[in-house]
Amino acid sequence: MSGKITINGQLIDFTDEKNILAVARNAGIDIPTLCYHPELSVVGACRLCVVEIERMGVQASCSTAPIDGMVVFTNSGRVNRVRKMVLELLLANHDRECTTCDASGACKLQKYANDYGIKRLRFPSRSQCEALDNSSLSIVRDPNKCILCGLCVRICKEKQGVGVWDFKNRGSRTEIVAAMDQPLAESACINCGQCIAVCPCGALSSNSTAIDEVWAALRDPKKTVVCQIAPAPRAALGEEFGLGSVDVTAKLVAGLRKVGFDKVFDTVFTADMTTIEESNEFLGRVTEGKNLPLFTSCCPGWVKYAEQFHPELLNNVSTCRSPQQMFGSVLKKKYTQDLGIKAEDMFVVSIMPCTAKKYEAKRPEFMTDGVYDVDAVLTTVEAARLFREAGIIFDSLEDSAFDQPMEQATGSGVIFGATGGVMESVIRYVAGKLLNAQGRVDVEFTRGMMIQRLPAYRLMILTKPGCC
Ligand code: FES
């Protein structure tokens, strides 16, 4: 359906936008939202996106479709009064210890309270001081900050196909809990962290206990502390420090040395090893005609998903370790010998883009003689916190290179950080080997969302966006 609506006196065309909110945003008019996500179902729970529509009164713009001839006001006095009331009511139910909140500065509720000039609340706090769920190695849930927007429930169910989160009770007793109201660690959570990414107000955050473990190791004179860095955090860290989407690898390496790491290595080295291992495994399976198609094992979220929901596919999952775990194994088993130290005297830290890597590092199969191959995993945000705690001014760092001998790597390993990258690397390697090609082999059909065309090729399937 297409037509024209008037928003704040401006005549605007619409075509296939499903709600007034989308029409307004496409026209450069912002409307605050807390429970809306363009790729998820619409529930209209928070009522912050209200607008005033002639002959219809105040309506939620996310759940009202545009109709030709509609006249809409997004910032009338009535609209602003309703939005302020909504914010005050949400804040009355919300733990307002903003200074100690992980989301401070990135919290949408905090931002809107500032935007709408809410300085004092008329309603007493109803926050209950309920216990945190920090049972998971990857995700912490603070029920005192939850505003019941339901974004975590919907992304887990609709996008990830897991459905760990859901509502419990009704009315003023409503809360969001993990399935069967059990601790998150005992649920089917795959640790992907997508619920953290959509949570607007700090009710879900990454389990950051690894930062203290890293500091303890750095201050322990008996420990050789080694860091590996995955491809994806390198540009993300630039954004975190306000440098934009630029590759800050050389500054990151320099900063880690300043923090106190003894060696800094590039996970791309073992991404290349993964490519070689997975490619040879694939060629072996093609020769035997068994267990095809081959699925990558690089993503621990996907591996746990397959274990829980599709055990019939486990024979199709590659037996190779992920690059993170290959590096941990190389460092603890081989590099310790080169340095003449015991595995327990080396502390291996990974900087990774995904919370599921924290869970992967603590899987029992990645432990030898009571020593984990990877001791601590930091997300990009946690790595930035490490720098800030160390008092490092990131953009003033001199560039520095990775340590030898594991500094050599190919572009194939780097593209593990992009959607379709693992598959492209493997197909390049396999094609080069089968065709006995000299030089570069380009394979473009796996890139980005073109991955959807893959079933026609029936070679290898990646289920997750770029990672390591
Ligand atoms: Fe529309 Fe929450 S964003 S009701």
Side-chain angles (χ1 to χ4, degrees):
M1 185 169 142
S2 64
K4 291 179 191 297
I5 63 173
T6 305
I7 303 182
N8 303 340
Q10 184 185 342
L11 198 60
I12 297 167
D13 291 317
F14 67 91
T15 48
D16 52 0
E17 290 93 334
K18 60 184 177 189
N19 50 42
I20 294 171
L21 176 66
V23 180
R25 285 185 172 172
N26 287 347
I29 300 166
D30 196 26
I31 295 174
T33 58
L34 285 168
C35 72
Y36 178 75
H37 189 293
E39 292 178 27
L40 301 176
S41 59
V42 177
V43 294
C46 75
R47 316 310 282 181
L48 192 63
C49 68
V50 287
V51 293
E52 197 170 351
I53 306 171
E54 264 186 16
R55 291 189 294 280
M56 288 176 71
V58 173
Q59 303 287 338
S61 61
C62 69
S63 46
T64 307
I67 299 171
D68 190 37
M70 249 181 184
V71 178
V72 178
F73 300 93
T74 67
N75 53 14
S76 65
R78 198 172 164 200
V79 164
N80 279 12
R81 274 196 302 280
V82 174
R83 286 190 193 148
K84 282 187 183 186
M85 173 69 82
V86 167
L87 287 167
E88 283 187 87
L89 289 169
L90 288 172
L91 285 164
N93 259 330
H94 181 78
D95 175 347
R96 300 193 294 271
E97 295 288 335
C98 294
T99 47
T100 53
C101 180
D102 257 8
S104 188
C107 170
K108 284 180 84 176
L109 189 56
Q110 187 186 46
K111 176 190 179 306
Y112 291 142
N114 279 326
D115 289 353
Y116 283 83
I118 296 174
K119 303 289 177 207
R120 198 162 287 124
L121 295 178
R122 285 175 288 163
F123 311 114
S125 173
R126 293 188 64 244
S127 185
Q128 303 286 317
C129 282
E130 288 183 51
L132 269 57
D133 181 352
N134 50 14
S135 60
S136 161
L137 292 163
S138 304
I139 297 165
V140 176
R141 178 171 146 69
D142 183 348
N144 307 295
K145 291 178 185 156
C146 180
I147 58 167
L148 303 175
C149 68
L151 282 170
C152 55
V153 175
R154 282 173 282 149
I155 198 142
C156 191
K157 201 172 286 175
E158 296 171 17
K159 285 286 173 195
Q160 302 304 81
V162 178
V164 158
W165 299 115
D166 214 337
F167 291 93
K168 178 187 155 192
N169 297 331
R170 304 189 71 181
S172 62
R173 294 178 59 238
T174 307
E175 55 184 312
I176 290 176
V177 294
M180 313 302 285
D181 205 1
Q182 58 195 337
L184 187 58
E186 290 167 30
S187 74
C189 173
I190 59 168
N191 304 288
C192 65
Q194 291 302 305
C195 55
I196 301 174
V198 295
C199 178
C201 57
L204 291 158
S205 57
S206 162
N207 188 335
S208 298
T209 49
I211 298 181
D212 292 336
E213 293 165 20
V214 172
W215 276 123
L218 288 167
R219 288 169 183 144
D220 184 343
K222 289 205 298 291
K223 296 277 185 200
T224 299
V225 189
V226 179
C227 188
Q228 58 162 313
I229 311 169
R234 298 168 195 192
L237 212 72
E239 283 181 11
E240 184 69 25
F241 284 106
L243 303 177
S245 288
V246 293
D247 181 359
V248 292
T249 309
K251 285 192 187 303
L252 180 52
V253 175
L256 290 167
R257 288 197 211 292
K258 267 201 161 181
V259 170
F261 285 88
D262 296 295
K263 299 283 177 188
V264 184
F265 293 121
D266 190 349
T267 309
V268 176
F269 178 80
T270 42
D272 281 345
M273 285 171 65
T274 303
T275 300
I276 295 166
E277 288 294 316
E278 284 197 356
S279 300
N280 287 321
E281 184 176 27
F282 173 66
L283 286 170
R285 289 185 187 203
V286 170
T287 307
E288 291 176 14
K290 279 205 323 211
N291 299 330
L292 289 168
L294 175 68
F295 291 80
T296 186
S297 57
C298 286
C299 170
W302 148 243
V303 171
K304 189 165 188 262
Y305 178 87
E307 287 171 335
Q308 295 172 158
F309 300 108
H310 290 287
E312 76 281 5
L313 292 179
L314 288 177
N315 283 338
N316 296 68
V317 177
S318 167
T319 57
C320 301
R321 289 173 177 230
S322 70
Q324 166 176 275
Q325 292 308 135
M326 276 200 198
F327 221 127
S329 177
V330 167
L331 290 169
K332 287 283 174 85
K333 296 193 176 80
K334 176 73 177 69
Y335 195 54
T336 47
Q337 287 175 9
D338 295 351
L339 296 182
I341 60 173
K342 293 183 191 156
E344 55 265 40
D345 290 333
M346 177 175 278
F347 192 88
V348 175
V349 181
S350 311
I351 299 180
M352 293 283 146
C354 172
T355 49
K357 288 289 174 186
K358 292 172 182 278
Y359 158 81
E360 180 184 46
K362 299 295 180 200
R363 286 188 68 129
E365 60 267 36
F366 297 132
M367 176 190 267
T368 310
D369 300 329
V371 178
Y372 283 112
D373 294 332
V374 174
D375 297 283
V377 179
L378 300 177
T379 61
T380 308
V381 173
E382 290 161 357
R385 205 179 110 195
L386 194 75
F387 285 130
R388 291 193 179 108
E389 285 184 20
I392 286 173
I393 301 169
F394 194 79
D395 55 1
S396 71
L397 288 165
E398 298 283 334
D399 288 356
S400 184
F402 285 112
D403 279 296
Q404 298 286 354
M406 288 166 276
E407 187 236 354
Q408 299 291 320
T410 70
S412 232
V414 175
I415 60 170
F416 270 51
T419 303
V422 178
M423 185 162 38
E424 179 171 342
S425 300
V426 169
I427 294 173
R428 275 192 207 173
Y429 183 90
V430 168
K433 205 162 174 179
L434 291 180
L435 303 172
N436 206 14
Q438 303 295 317
R440 187 186 168 111
V441 177
D442 264 330
V443 182
E444 291 190 4
F445 64 84
T446 65
R447 289 185 191 170
M449 291 306 148
M450 289 176 77
I451 200 167
Q452 287 159 1
R453 290 169 48 191
L454 190 66
Y457 296 87
R458 298 188 63 79
L459 286 171
M460 185 171 180
I461 296 175
L462 237 194
T463 59
K464 296 285 289 177
C467 191
C468 229

